[in-house]
Amino acid sequence: MDSDDEIPSLVTAATIDPVPVTIITGYLGSGKTTLLNYILTEQHNKKIAVILNEFGEGDTMEKSVAIGEKGNLCEEWLELQNGCLCCSVKDNGVKAIENLMSKRGKFDYILLETTGLADPGPIAKLFWVDSELGSDVHLDGIICVVDSKNAIKLLDNTLRDEPHSDTINPSIRQVALADIILLNKIDLVNISTLVALKTIIRSINASAEIVETTTSIVDLNKILDLKSYSSSNSLRVDEMIRNVESFEGKTHIHQNISTVTLEVTDGILRTSLDNFICQILWENTLKDSRGNSAEIIRMKGVIRFADGSIAMIQSVYDMYEFQELSNNLSEVPPGSRIILIGKCLEKTELNYLLNKCIDSGNGFKEEVNRYR
Ligand SMILES: Nc1nc2c(ncn2[C@@H]2O[C@H](COP(=O)(O)OP(=O)(O)OP(=O)(O)O)[C@@H](O)[C@H]2O)c(=O)[nH]1
């Protein structure tokens, strides 16, 4: 995890298995509540906490949590400094959930629904706490529910209206950050609309899996226990890369949010990669060929370092984490691969910056060796 004050300072003792937190996002009326009800019904033998994160509840000190257990729903309260989880001091929101679990017992799942107009990024960062910090909860994945009937107009118009805008509409961010996308309400659209919608969604986020649903009915194995932020998911990166590559060059939509993949054959020095990450996430040095500043929304990849070690890298906005891989190393394909989703990303510019960081890292190493 990156350093400094972004890291929530958790002090509570961790339970053996941290409880997975699934963020359910999606535009207004897309079918998020329908999905929550479906999960609660299907998983009635599990203990599930459902939290609705709404903004603008500044005066409330408590947030209602619905707890589903043995087919019954009851209400509990989270003690917060204000009513919005991601607006409260970072570790406060997580701590409030941990306090609730010490009172009510451990949950099997925590489902967090964001309001339709919300960017799920801040709340994802809040729960994406380093397991070494001893949290009782961990971010499992982000599901974006899309209303197939209305999304095409919304996404298409937004992409076309704001090709070089500095702001990114929340509906686009929701798709960009998703690990899995439910194309819901497919009963209301014909095949050609569905194909066109998939093309738009793929043009934003080419790595997430897309599942078509009616009334949000989905195989729960596809959306729960995803482990999207765990190194155990590293072998999926290649599957995602193949998804992205199969789509590359197939869209002609003029837009500024897209998915780009990078590959490096030789092992990378850690200092070179640190330098690259620092420049793209924190120093905003990356620009497109027209000079527009790029923004990385999400990154995932598998890195093979020059010393032979392999790590999974992930980021959500400016927060990133390396997880060293220790199992199944022989199954990891050679080289390094990174998937980036963000604004004003161009493969040529990204490759140029990455190679510059690799070259300057190698140059520095040669200098040091020369004076040894
Ligand atoms: N025809 C059709 N209607 C659906 C489907 N899924 C959900 N709905 C209906 O769409 C409406 C909105 O669904 P919700 O689950 O409340 O959507 P939401 O995303 O929670 O809505 P907000 O909380 O307002 O953002 C409800 O009337 C649902 O019954 C579907 O697949 N097909």
Side-chain angles (χ1 to χ4, degrees):
M1 187 99 21
D2 60 352
S3 56
D4 302 325
D5 42 36
E6 289 296 339
I7 301 174
S9 54
L10 292 172
V11 287
T12 46
T15 48
I16 295 164
D17 291 317
V19 179
V21 176
T22 301
I23 295 178
I24 300 176
T25 186
Y27 216 66
L28 299 168
S30 55
K32 300 181 293 296
T33 310
T34 311
L35 176 64
L36 282 169
N37 288 336
Y38 175 68
I39 298 172
L40 286 172
T41 310
E42 287 295 298
Q43 298 277 40
H44 57 86
N45 53 343
K46 296 276 166 69
K47 190 166 168 182
I48 299 178
V50 178
I51 306 171
L52 176 67
N53 198 42
E54 284 169 312
F55 295 95
E57 299 172 305
D59 298 337
T60 341
M61 301 292 281
E62 291 183 320
K63 170 171 280 302
S64 167
V65 180
I67 300 176
E69 196 175 11
K70 299 195 175 88
N72 296 318
L73 262 188
C74 65
E75 193 176 27
E76 265 290 353
W77 300 92
L78 279 186
E79 307 280 343
L80 296 173
Q81 282 183 335
N82 61 33
C84 176
L85 267 178
C86 54
C87 297
S88 58
V89 178
K90 279 206 158 186
D91 54 355
N92 235 303
V94 176
K95 217 177 265 169
I97 292 176
E98 289 174 332
N99 289 343
L100 180 60
M101 285 203 289
S102 41
K103 189 168 125 200
R104 290 292 312 243
K106 194 182 162 193
F107 303 123
D108 293 300
Y109 297 107
I110 295 169
L111 306 176
L112 211 150
E113 179 190 343
T114 66
T115 54
L117 298 171
D119 169 6
I123 198 89
K125 281 168 68 173
L126 174 69
F127 285 98
W128 189 29
V129 285
D130 194 326
S131 51
E132 283 171 22
L133 289 173
S135 176
D136 284 352
V137 296
H138 77 96
L139 177 61
D140 185 60
I142 301 177
I143 307 169
C144 178
V145 187
V146 172
D147 175 344
S148 303
K149 179 141 176 69
N150 295 310
I152 192 156
K153 226 162 123 191
L154 175 75
L155 293 175
D156 197 33
N157 284 346
T158 314
L159 286 168
R160 283 173 204 279
D161 286 351
E162 304 173 357
H164 298 296
S165 155
D166 280 344
T167 55
I168 304 171
N169 187 285
S171 60
I172 307 277
R173 289 190 187 268
Q174 290 168 353
V175 171
L177 279 163
D179 298 297
I180 179 147
I181 295 166
L182 300 195
L183 281 194
N184 193 38
K185 303 195 181 180
I186 58 161
D187 54 316
L188 302 180
V189 292
N190 58 30
I191 293 285
S192 60
T193 306
L194 207 55
V195 171
L197 178 58
K198 273 191 193 170
T199 306
I200 293 176
I201 287 179
R202 281 260 163 269
S203 72
I204 301 168
N205 181 342
S207 68
E209 188 181 352
I210 296 179
V211 182
E212 296 170 16
T213 60
T214 301
T215 58
S216 305
I217 294 174
V218 57
D219 175 359
L220 294 186
N221 292 322
K222 284 197 178 287
I223 60 168
L224 298 177
D225 292 317
L226 285 180
K227 298 187 175 57
S228 294
Y229 294 79
S230 152
S231 60
S232 63
N233 205 29
S234 60
L235 291 175
R236 280 213 60 230
V237 169
D238 285 282
E239 200 185 305
M240 292 174 195
I241 295 255
R242 283 194 293 277
N243 269 349
V244 178
E245 285 173 348
S246 68
F247 185 76
E248 264 172 348
K250 286 197 183 153
T251 176
H252 302 294
I253 301 169
H254 186 56
Q255 63 183 63
N256 66 347
I257 311 289
S258 59
T259 309
V260 169
T261 59
L262 301 178
E263 295 200 36
V264 179
T265 331
D266 298 330
I268 306 175
L269 286 174
R270 277 171 199 266
T271 47
S272 305
L273 194 71
D274 283 347
N275 188 5
F276 176 67
I277 302 289
C278 194
Q279 295 206 38
I280 61 170
L281 296 189
W282 297 343
E283 291 177 5
N284 301 325
T285 32
L286 183 67
K287 306 235 185 294
D288 69 7
S289 48
R290 294 194 189 104
N292 299 303
S293 287
E295 179 189 341
I296 309 293
I297 295 176
R298 181 86 165 96
M299 169 169 57
K300 40 205 154 183
V302 174
I303 307 295
R304 198 173 278 267
F305 288 110
D307 63 8
S309 60
I310 304 174
M312 180 158 186
I313 183 169
Q314 301 235 35
S315 79
V316 173
Y317 293 136
D318 59 347
M319 193 166 166
Y320 79 95
E321 180 187 50
F322 276 115
Q323 286 177 288
E324 298 280 332
L325 303 187
S326 49
N327 298 323
N328 308 322
L329 294 186
S330 57
E331 289 176 43
V332 181
S336 301
R337 292 156 304 285
I338 307 174
I339 302 170
L340 297 131
I341 301 174
K343 179 167 82 83
C344 298
L345 300 186
E346 286 177 6
K347 197 167 182 139
T348 324
E349 301 298 323
L350 274 157
N351 265 326
Y352 176 76
L353 184 61
L354 177 59
N355 286 322
K356 208 168 118 187
C357 294
I358 290 174
D359 288 347
S360 70
N362 288 343
F364 179 71
K365 193 175 153 207
E366 275 163 26
E367 280 289 297
V368 171
N369 287 342
R370 204 142 56 99
Y371 291 103
R372 272 204 175 133

